[in-house]
Amino acid sequence: MSTQAAPPAVTTTPYTSQAPAGTEAGHPRRWSIMAVLGAVAFMAQLDFFVVNVALDGIGRSFPGAGVASVSWVLSAYAIVFAAVLVPAGRIADQWGRKKMLLSGVALFTLASAVAAAAPSLGVLVAARAVQAVGAAMIVPTSLGLLYPSFPRRQHTLVVGLWAGVGAIAASAGPPIGGLLVTLDWRWIFLINVPVGIATLVAGALLLPEVRQPRGAALPDPVSALALLLAVSLLVLATVQGPGWGWTDISTLALFAAAALAVAATVERTLHAEAPVIEKQLFAGRPFTAATVALFLFSAGFAIVLLSTALFMQEVWHFSPLRAGVSIAPAPLASIAFAMNAGPLQRRFGRTAPAVTGTLAMALAAGYWLTAVHTTPDYWGDMFPGLILVGLAGGLAQAPLFAAAGTLAPERTTTGSAVLNMSRQIGSAVGVALLVALTPQATTTGFDHAWWVQAGTGITAAAALLALRPRPTP
């Protein structure tokens, strides 16, 4: 690659190089690139959480729409986002990560404008599905662009910051949504438009282009279709299960169809020439361990975020805004720990911090089980557990997402997409479990949810230890 300075927007980085600048120092504008990629990832992930507090207002805007119909504003986004992540990641490697990300931002921004002006619930749900496609184009590609922009020694640090952005988006959703809903629920979507336009301009100017060499095989369409069906059906069954009933024929049929689609996906992964999920991704223990652990950790983390907010609102009778602000110490602590992820990994390796983080989430659940009562005592009952949750997110997520960096450079975006898909499916499972365990929002129901949270943390730690890399003789 030429060593002459070139505008970042038109520099093509072949996968044989780890940095667009061609040096171990990384891209000269790497922190500006980090700011752009963090902003778009925050926007895409925030919309998954911010809509929760707006459902009542949306229902009132469309008379005759039942709770089940309005819930598709959430479900459509969750299902499409999880299903499109991996195909989008593979296409990004072929077409160009910068092109895919900017196209995703443009699509997300346009869909946000349509959602803000939606004249009917059907249009709103359709816009949310298109938003999810844009988000799926953004999230793994943003991480795939981070790796070649930074030297390898900083990968854990920047992935920790990137994961911290996701944690902040999750926790900031309720308070931001609460503020915007006081104006009108349409502002939840309208606010994305200026942010999207600004990031499009900044991304076009700052981001480097990264793609596979031309002539690389396109992903197998059968495996891509099988994966889309598998993830869509699995998340749909998980989301609808609490409402339909886990033994309802429709729920069981969806799970059975999802199992068949999973089997077809595995078959194509093992035998197709260019499957959408390549079996080489799982040749190494670090990536396999991270994929399993992220699913378990995300299920528990989803229980954390929703159970604490719901408990403070429905048992302690906090307002949505107050509950959202009360959760803020968790993502703030997460960022603090994530910023030290690089030094921690160099000293203790990748497994030890991740195991400590997953066990910290279990310890937070144990604390709440023993300390939380119906009488409000935020600082004594809830706050210590939230600090443990921040420690969990900061220590666990950075090394788990950084496992994509252990793959060959041409597979980092697909690997990131697989990790994000695992997280998304885990989150859907966690939310479904919480809904099933807390139908009446009683303290007993929340106790059961926190027991499940503890179990997912311990199981994730066990998976990491069982699949840790073998020592080299």
Side-chain angles (χ1 to χ4, degrees):
M1 184 172 65
S2 172
T3 57
Q4 291 181 336
V10 295
T11 300
T12 299
T13 305
Y15 284 125
T16 54
S17 171
Q18 285 295 309
T23 70
E24 181 56 21
H27 197 285
R29 296 183 180 178
R30 58 190 178 277
W31 289 109
S32 297
I33 292 170
M34 173 74 200
V36 173
L37 295 175
V40 296
F42 179 84
M43 179 180 70
Q45 296 181 77
L46 178 69
D47 244 54
F48 183 75
F49 300 96
V50 77
V51 179
N52 289 345
V53 298
L55 291 184
D56 286 344
I58 291 171
R60 288 193 297 270
S61 295
F62 302 114
V67 174
S69 299
V70 175
S71 68
W72 276 99
V73 176
L74 294 176
S75 300
Y77 193 95
I79 293 166
V80 175
F81 181 52
V84 177
L85 277 166
V86 175
R90 284 300 305 273
I91 294 170
D93 285 339
Q94 297 278 346
W95 188 41
R97 297 176 188 175
K98 176 181 176 178
K99 286 181 182 177
M100 177 63 82
L101 184 133
L102 294 181
S103 298
V105 173
L107 187 63
F108 187 91
T109 304
L110 179 61
S112 296
V114 173
S120 67
L121 183 60
V123 172
L124 178 58
V125 171
R128 286 285 286 167
V130 176
Q131 261 193 322
V133 174
M137 295 165 68
I138 291 169
V139 172
T141 313
S142 64
L143 192 54
L145 281 168
L146 272 182
Y147 282 114
S149 299
F150 283 82
R152 186 173 292 275
R153 68 179 184 276
Q154 291 184 314
H155 281 184
T156 303
L157 168 64
V158 296
V159 172
L161 294 175
W162 183 92
V165 164
I168 290 177
S171 299
I176 291 176
L179 285 172
L180 294 174
V181 166
T182 59
L183 301 173
D184 190 291
W185 64 263
R186 296 179 187 273
W187 278 98
I188 285 177
F189 304 110
L190 193 60
I191 198 70
N192 293 329
V193 176
V195 176
I197 292 172
T199 52
L200 274 174
V201 174
L205 294 173
L206 291 171
L207 297 179
E209 183 57 284
V210 183
R211 67 166 68 91
Q212 276 186 311
R214 297 192 182 279
L218 292 172
D220 171 50
V222 176
S223 68
L225 179 61
L227 179 66
L228 281 168
L229 288 173
V231 177
S232 300
L233 293 169
L234 178 60
V235 176
L236 176 60
T238 303
V239 168
Q240 296 298 119
W244 290 349
W246 295 109
T247 58
D248 183 84
I249 186 64
S250 299
T251 306
L252 295 175
L254 284 175
F255 276 122
L260 291 174
V262 168
T265 303
V266 172
E267 193 279 331
R268 299 303 293 177
T269 293
L270 295 175
H271 300 110
E273 183 177 344
V276 70
I277 298 181
E278 300 166 298
K279 60 185 177 183
Q280 290 87 347
L281 291 174
F282 301 98
R285 282 173 166 249
F287 184 81
T288 303
T291 303
V292 174
L294 258 178
F295 169 81
L296 294 165
F297 180 82
S298 299
F301 209 69
I303 291 174
V304 169
L305 294 174
L306 284 178
S307 67
T308 51
L310 288 173
F311 186 92
M312 285 187 281
Q313 289 178 76
E314 297 183 5
V315 179
W316 285 357
H317 305 296
F318 284 16
S319 69
L321 180 58
R322 184 182 178 188
V325 172
S326 298
I327 297 170
L332 293 177
S334 180
I335 285 287
F337 285 108
M339 292 183 69
N340 292 291
L344 286 170
Q345 180 175 319
R346 285 193 293 272
R347 182 168 182 177
F348 299 106
R350 188 189 307 275
T351 302
V355 169
T356 303
T358 55
L359 291 178
M361 184 176 70
L363 188 60
Y367 180 84
W368 288 328
L369 283 165
T370 58
V372 170
H373 302 91
T374 55
T375 303
D377 182 7
Y378 172 76
W379 295 106
D381 291 2
M382 193 64 68
F383 180 77
L386 290 172
I387 296 301
L388 287 170
V389 168
L391 185 150
L395 290 182
Q397 292 188 88
L400 293 179
F401 279 107
T406 65
L407 303 172
E410 69 272 14
R411 294 192 173 100
T412 54
T413 300
T414 304
S416 169
V418 170
L419 292 172
N420 275 283
M421 181 183 70
S422 181
R423 175 179 67 171
Q424 192 64 25
I425 295 174
S427 296
V429 170
V431 171
L433 288 172
L434 179 65
V435 171
L437 292 170
T438 59
Q440 305 299 325
T442 62
T443 53
T444 301
F446 286 108
D447 283 350
H448 292 162
W450 288 331
W451 274 113
V452 173
Q453 174 191 325
T456 58
I458 293 169
T459 309
L464 288 167
L465 291 172
L467 292 171
R468 68 186 182 277
R470 295 189 180 95
T472 303

